[in-house]
Amino acid sequence: MTTSDNNGRIAIEVEELWKVFSNGDSGEQGEGSEEEIVAVQDVSLQVKDGEVFVVMGLSGSGKSTLIRCLLRLIEPTSGRIWINNEEVTGLNREELTQFRRERAAMVFQHYGLLPHRNVLDNISFGLKLQGVGREERTRRSLEMVERVGLSGFESYFPAQLSGGMQQRVGIARALANDPPILLMDEPFSGLDPLIRREMQDELLALQEQVNKTIFFVTHDLDEAMRLGDRMAVMKDGGVVQMGTYEEVVENPANEYVAKFVENGR
């Protein structure tokens, strides 16, 4: 189970995690022998309470599959996951649904907003699922609107917002539930460079205020450098190196990592 170390409490622990997709999992029509794709292989890691932990890798490295396994949006093939001392891999369906609503929140690359709901209603949607009353939902949602810099846009619909503003709504919705864990799957990769930089700054400023444990997936080394307290580099479904940005850049574990970080030297 999740333990503590000399540097503080462990918020997320992954132990010997595997995810193997077969033809049936991917929906492909196959004839003859079944093909299996190993998306995550034997990953073990720990994320400390309150840190920003970044997972980097090229396309197909397994990083997005890994983050989805944490909430069992993709079911792991084997292995165990703990989040704040709760074994996620041991939860039944009802328990898992409740866990997702209260204990962790996910921010996706493509926002995941409800197009027929305005900004305020999108932000409050998770609170509604939790059974929070309308008055309290509105109060907390308005607080998040102000926190992410969207005051004045409460009645706007997603189609009326820029990509950066839509992503702010997604972050506000995640924060409204006040979860201790925030999972972010390449949330800024679809934005132009200027807006992306602004959103990184916003996230850093928000982290100063809310001090969440953030598990952040990216393929961008500069983004990892700016945001991460520590990072893990993935290749072919496995973690090939973990450490601070300086440790990874100055002492790459192998040629793959060296090539991946060479522009950051």
Side-chain angles (χ1 to χ4, degrees), residues 13-74:
E13 183 168 5
V14 177
E15 181 181 276
E16 299 177 353
L17 191 73
W18 289 77
K19 177 58 186 179
V20 180
F21 290 103
S22 66
N23 289 336
D25 294 324
S26 61
E28 297 176 358
Q29 297 295 322
E31 295 182 3
S33 61
E34 289 190 8
E35 181 181 358
E36 292 187 338
I37 300 172
V38 180
V40 174
Q41 55 175 318
D42 200 22
V43 169
S44 295
L45 56 82
Q46 293 181 334
V47 179
K48 300 170 188 175
D49 184 50
E51 81 170 328
V52 180
F53 186 87
V54 177
V55 177
M56 293 189 304
L58 301 177
S59 178
S61 63
K63 57 190 186 298
S64 288
T65 301
L66 173 61
I67 195 173
R68 282 166 168 76
C69 282
L70 296 183
L71 287 184
R72 288 172 54 194
L73 299 174
I74 293 176

